[in-house]
């Protein structure tokens, strides 16, 4: 796929990813309509097998096609089997987990789907808190477009550790310096924790409940994005 197209799509991946399944279940469409400034829509796809929770499938993505940048986060047992359906539904980014079955094959499947559909689809690699960074070398060799660092592991119920995730993000950024992926963070991101989340300059920050449970979701989204931009600027200045 054309590198210019891919770079343009990566630029669109930056900002606050709005976790849509945190919206009221009976009014997701209305909640997003009221949140007109949302540019990145994040879908946590859970199969009830690899993680205890269960959420929606490709139909949710297809229903929001054309409404923004569609970010699909697969927390499923066999991600390789899900790639084609979500690509066809319109996903702009598909993230698979390093810890899932045949993650390397799933990353390759995203590239293949992108080529087949003749449009850029970003390949993302998700990393759970307990996964050693050294073990990721074979997957990082595939040069994922996005690295998603989780502050919480939904498989074990432990509380989010946002500062630790931000530090891991910085370490992964250094490991990936030769291909400079979008660096993302997810899990437990609130108005209180976002400053810690952005301390190392995250490009993409995923938040759901903090936005939809706010009295003014649009104002909360703007507040989170302002903190993210400030953190990114501070991190860039520190690295100069």
């Amino acid at each position: 796929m054309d590198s210019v197209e891919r770079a343009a799509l990566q630029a669109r991946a930056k900002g606050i990813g709005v976790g849509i399944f945190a919206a009221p279940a009976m009014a997701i469409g209305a909640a997003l309509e009221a949140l007109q400034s949302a540019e990145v829509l994040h879908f946590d796809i859970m199969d009830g097998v690899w993680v205890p929770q269960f959420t929606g499938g490709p139909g949710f993505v297809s229903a929001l096609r054309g409404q923004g940048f569609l970010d699909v986060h697969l927390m499923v047992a066999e991600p390789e089997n899900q790639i084609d359906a979500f690509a066809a539904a319109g996903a702009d980014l598909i993230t698979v987990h390093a810890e899932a079955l045949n993650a390397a094959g799933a990353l390759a499947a995203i590239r293949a789907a992108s080529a087949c559909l003749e449009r850029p689809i970003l390949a993302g690699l998700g990393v759970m808190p307990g996964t050693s960074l050294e073990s990721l070398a074979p997957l990082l060799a595939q040069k994922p477009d996005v690295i998603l660092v989780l502050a919480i592991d939904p498989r074990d119920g432990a509380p989010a550790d946002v500062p630790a995730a931000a530090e891991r993000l910085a370490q992964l950024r250094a490991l990936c310096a030769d291909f400079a992926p979008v660096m993302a963070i997810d899990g437990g991101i609130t108005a209180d924790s976002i400053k810690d989340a952005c301390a190392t300059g995250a490009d993409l920050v995923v938040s759901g409940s903090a936005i939809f449970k706010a009295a003014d979701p649009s104002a909360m989204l703007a507040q989170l994005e302002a903190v993210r931009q400030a953190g990114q600027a501070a991190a860039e200045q520190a690295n100069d």
Side-chain angles (χ1 to χ4, degrees), residues 123-140:
L125 180 67
V127 184
M128 291 292 190
T131 300
S132 73
L133 302 189
E134 292 76 12
S135 70
L136 299 176
L139 295 171
L140 296 181

Side-chain angles (χ1 to χ4, degrees), residues 18-36:
V18 177
I20 69 161
F21 290 132
M26 297 298 290
I28 290 176
L32 288 174
E33 230 175 83
L35 202 64
Q36 294 180 359

Side-chain angles (χ1 to χ4, degrees), residues 96-203:
V96 300
H97 267 275
E99 305 82 6
L101 181 66
N102 194 17
L107 286 172
I110 299 168
R111 301 284 196 218
S114 178
C116 181
L117 295 171
E118 298 184 328
R119 69 176 181 88
I121 301 173
L122 302 182
L125 180 67
V127 184
M128 291 292 190
T131 300
S132 73
L133 302 189
E134 292 76 12
S135 70
L136 299 176
L139 295 171
L140 296 181
Q142 294 194 36
K143 299 184 177 181
D145 301 295
V146 178
I147 304 291
L148 176 65
V149 181
L150 267 70
I152 191 169
D153 188 335
R155 300 171 299 177
D156 63 18
D161 189 339
V162 175
E167 178 56 33
R168 280 164 65 82
L169 184 146
Q171 293 169 1
L172 278 163
R173 189 194 297 278
L175 289 173
C176 302
D178 62 324
F179 60 97
V182 171
M183 300 302 300
I185 190 168
D186 184 11
I189 308 301
T190 66
D192 294 326
S193 68
I194 188 168
K195 188 172 181 181
D196 289 334
C198 298
T200 55
D203 302 305

